[in-house]
Coordinates of all heavy atoms in Angstrom, one line a residue:
R22 N 0.8 -1.2 0.0 CA 0.0 0.0 0.0 C 0.9 1.2 0.0 O 1.8 1.3 0.8 CB -0.9 0.0 1.2 CG -1.9 1.2 1.3 CD -2.9 1.0 2.4 NE -3.8 -0.1 2.2 CZ -4.8 -0.4 3.0 NH1 -5.1 0.3 4.0 NH2 -5.5 -1.5 2.8
E23 N 0.6 2.2 -0.9 CA 1.4 3.4 -1.0 C 0.6 4.6 -0.8 O -0.6 4.7 -1.1 CB 2.1 3.4 -2.4 CG 1.1 3.6 -3.5 CD 1.8 3.8 -4.9 OE1 3.0 4.2 -4.8 OE2 1.2 3.6 -5.9
L24 N 1.3 5.6 -0.2 CA 0.7 6.9 -0.1 C 0.6 7.6 -1.5 O 1.6 7.7 -2.1 CB 1.4 7.8 0.9 CG 1.0 9.2 1.1 CD1 -0.4 9.3 1.7 CD2 2.0 10.0 1.9
V25 N -0.6 8.0 -1.9 CA -0.8 8.7 -3.1 C -0.7 10.2 -2.9 O 0.0 10.9 -3.6 CB -2.1 8.3 -3.8 CG1 -2.3 9.1 -5.0 CG2 -2.1 6.8 -4.1
A26 N -1.5 10.7 -1.9 CA -1.5 12.1 -1.6 C -1.8 12.3 -0.2 O -2.7 11.7 0.4 CB -2.6 12.8 -2.5
G27 N -1.0 13.2 0.4 CA -1.2 13.5 1.8 C -1.6 15.0 2.1 O -1.3 15.8 1.2
I28 N -2.2 15.2 3.2 CA -2.6 16.6 3.5 C -2.5 16.8 5.0 O -2.9 15.9 5.8 CB -4.0 16.9 3.0 CG1 -4.3 18.4 3.3 CG2 -5.1 16.0 3.6 CD1 -5.5 18.9 2.5
S29 N -1.9 17.8 5.5 CA -1.7 18.1 6.9 C -2.8 18.9 7.4 O -3.7 19.4 6.7 CB -0.4 18.9 7.1 OG -0.5 20.2 6.6
I30 N -2.9 19.1 8.8 CA -3.9 19.9 9.4 C -3.9 21.3 8.8 O -5.0 21.9 8.6 CB -3.6 19.9 10.9 CG1 -3.8 18.6 11.6 CG2 -4.6 21.0 11.6 CD1 -5.2 18.0 11.5
G31 N -2.7 21.8 8.5 CA -2.6 23.1 8.0 C -2.9 23.2 6.5 O -2.9 24.4 6.0
G32 N -3.1 22.1 5.8 CA -3.4 22.1 4.4 C -2.2 21.9 3.5 O -2.4 21.9 2.3
T33 N -1.0 21.7 4.1 CA 0.1 21.3 3.2 C -0.1 20.0 2.6 O -0.5 19.0 3.2 CB 1.4 21.3 4.0 OG1 1.6 22.6 4.6 CG2 2.6 21.0 3.2
T34 N 0.2 19.9 1.3 CA 0.0 18.7 0.6 C 1.3 18.1 0.1 O 2.3 18.8 -0.1 CB -1.0 18.9 -0.6 OG1 -0.4 19.9 -1.5 CG2 -2.3 19.4 -0.2
N35 N 1.2 16.8 -0.1 CA 2.4 16.1 -0.8 C 1.8 14.9 -1.6 O 0.8 14.4 -1.3 CB 3.4 15.6 0.3 CG 2.8 14.6 1.2 OD1 2.9 13.4 1.0 ND2 2.3 15.0 2.4
Y36 N 2.6 14.6 -2.6 CA 2.2 13.6 -3.6 C 3.3 12.6 -3.9 O 4.5 12.9 -3.9 CB 1.7 14.2 -4.9 CG 0.6 15.2 -4.7 CD1 0.8 16.6 -4.4 CD2 -0.7 14.8 -4.7 CE1 -0.2 17.5 -4.3 CE2 -1.8 15.7 -4.6 CZ -1.5 17.0 -4.3 OH -2.5 17.9 -4.1
A37 N 2.8 11.4 -4.2 CA 3.8 10.4 -4.8 C 4.3 10.9 -6.1 O 3.6 11.6 -6.9 CB 3.1 9.1 -5.0
D38 N 5.6 10.6 -6.4 CA 6.1 11.1 -7.7 C 5.3 10.7 -8.9 O 5.2 11.4 -9.9 CB 7.6 10.6 -7.8 CG 8.5 11.3 -6.9 OD1 8.2 12.4 -6.3 OD2 9.6 10.8 -6.7
S39 N 4.7 9.5 -8.8 CA 4.0 9.0 -9.9 C 2.7 9.7 -10.3 O 2.2 9.6 -11.4 CB 3.7 7.5 -9.7 OG 2.9 7.3 -8.5
V40 N 2.2 10.5 -9.3 CA 1.0 11.2 -9.6 C 1.1 12.7 -9.5 O 0.1 13.4 -9.8 CB -0.1 10.8 -8.6 CG1 -0.3 9.3 -8.5 CG2 0.2 11.3 -7.2
K41 N 2.3 13.2 -9.3 CA 2.5 14.7 -9.2 C 2.1 15.3 -10.6 O 2.4 14.8 -11.6 CB 3.9 15.0 -8.9 CG 4.3 14.8 -7.5 CD 5.8 15.2 -7.2 CE 6.2 15.0 -5.8 NZ 7.6 15.3 -5.6
G42 N 1.3 16.4 -10.4 CA 0.9 17.1 -11.6 C -0.4 16.5 -12.2 O -1.0 17.2 -13.1
R43 N -0.8 15.4 -11.7 CA -2.1 14.8 -12.2 C -3.2 14.7 -11.2 O -4.3 14.8 -11.5 CB -1.8 13.4 -12.8 CG -0.8 13.3 -13.9 CD -0.7 11.9 -14.5 NE -0.2 10.9 -13.6 CZ -0.9 9.8 -13.2 NH1 -2.1 9.6 -13.7 NH2 -0.4 9.0 -12.3
F44 N -2.8 14.5 -9.9 CA -3.7 14.3 -8.8 C -3.7 15.5 -7.9 O -2.6 16.1 -7.7 CB -3.4 13.1 -8.0 CG -3.6 11.7 -8.7 CD1 -3.9 11.7 -10.0 CD2 -3.6 10.6 -7.9 CE1 -4.1 10.4 -10.6 CE2 -3.8 9.3 -8.5 CZ -4.1 9.3 -9.9
T45 N -4.8 15.9 -7.3 CA -4.9 17.0 -6.4 C -5.8 16.5 -5.2 O -6.9 16.1 -5.4 CB -5.5 18.2 -7.0 OG1 -4.7 18.6 -8.2 CG2 -5.5 19.4 -6.0
I46 N -5.3 16.7 -4.0 CA -6.0 16.4 -2.8 C -6.5 17.7 -2.2 O -5.8 18.7 -2.2 CB -5.2 15.6 -1.7 CG1 -6.0 15.2 -0.5 CG2 -4.0 16.5 -1.3 CD1 -5.3 14.2 0.4
S47 N -7.8 17.7 -1.7 CA -8.4 18.9 -1.2 C -9.3 18.5 0.0 O -9.7 17.3 0.1 CB -9.1 19.7 -2.2 OG -10.2 19.0 -2.8
R48 N -9.7 19.5 0.7 CA -10.6 19.2 1.9 C -11.7 20.3 2.0 O -11.5 21.5 1.8 CB -9.7 19.3 3.2 CG -10.4 19.1 4.5 CD -9.3 18.9 5.6 NE -8.5 20.1 5.7 CZ -7.2 20.1 6.1 NH1 -6.6 18.9 6.3 NH2 -6.5 21.2 6.2
D49 N -12.8 19.8 2.4 CA -14.0 20.7 2.7 C -14.4 20.4 4.1 O -15.1 19.4 4.3 CB -15.1 20.4 1.7 CG -16.3 21.4 1.8 OD1 -16.4 22.0 2.9 OD2 -17.0 21.6 0.9
N50 N -14.0 21.2 5.0 CA -14.3 20.9 6.4 C -15.8 21.0 6.7 O -16.3 20.2 7.6 CB -13.6 21.9 7.3 CG -12.1 21.7 7.4 OD1 -11.6 20.5 7.4 ND2 -11.3 22.7 7.4
A51 N -16.5 21.8 6.0 CA -18.0 21.9 6.3 C -18.7 20.7 5.9 O -19.7 20.3 6.5 CB -18.6 23.1 5.5
K52 N -18.2 19.9 5.0 CA -18.8 18.7 4.5 C -18.1 17.4 5.1 O -18.5 16.3 4.8 CB -18.8 18.6 3.0 CG -19.6 19.6 2.3 CD -19.6 19.4 0.8 CE -20.5 20.4 0.1 NZ -21.9 20.2 0.4
N53 N -17.1 17.7 6.0 CA -16.3 16.6 6.5 C -15.8 15.6 5.4 O -15.9 14.4 5.6 CB -17.1 15.8 7.6 CG -17.3 16.5 8.9 OD1 -16.5 17.4 9.2 ND2 -18.3 16.2 9.6
T54 N -15.4 16.2 4.4 CA -15.0 15.4 3.2 C -13.6 15.8 2.7 O -13.3 17.0 2.6 CB -16.0 15.6 2.1 OG1 -17.3 15.2 2.6 CG2 -15.7 14.8 0.9
V55 N -12.9 14.8 2.3 CA -11.6 15.0 1.6 C -11.7 14.4 0.2 O -12.3 13.3 0.0 CB -10.4 14.4 2.4 CG1 -9.1 14.4 1.6 CG2 -10.3 15.1 3.7
Y56 N -11.2 15.1 -0.8 CA -11.3 14.7 -2.2 C -10.0 14.4 -2.8 O -8.9 14.9 -2.3 CB -12.0 15.8 -3.0 CG -13.3 16.3 -2.5 CD1 -13.4 17.4 -1.7 CD2 -14.5 15.6 -2.9 CE1 -14.7 17.8 -1.3 CE2 -15.7 16.0 -2.5 CZ -15.8 17.2 -1.6 OH -17.0 17.6 -1.2

């Protein structure tokens, strides 16, 4: 199992090299949802 995309409490993101530039992680706190 590999980390694809990470996000910190402060919103800092990081990505696996294989998906950089193609994938985007985001968060909507009002909806309790991460995309």
Side-chain angles (χ1 to χ4, degrees):
R22 182 172 296 185
E23 65 172 339
L24 176 67
V25 176
I28 186 166
S29 72
I30 294 293
T33 301
T34 59
N35 63 88
Y36 300 91
D38 288 343
S39 60
V40 308
K41 286 181 180 177
R43 300 188 298 120
F44 291 10
T45 303
I46 187 170
S47 62
R48 179 171 62 214
D49 186 337
N50 288 322
K52 294 182 178 294
N53 287 334
T54 301
V55 174
Y56 302 96

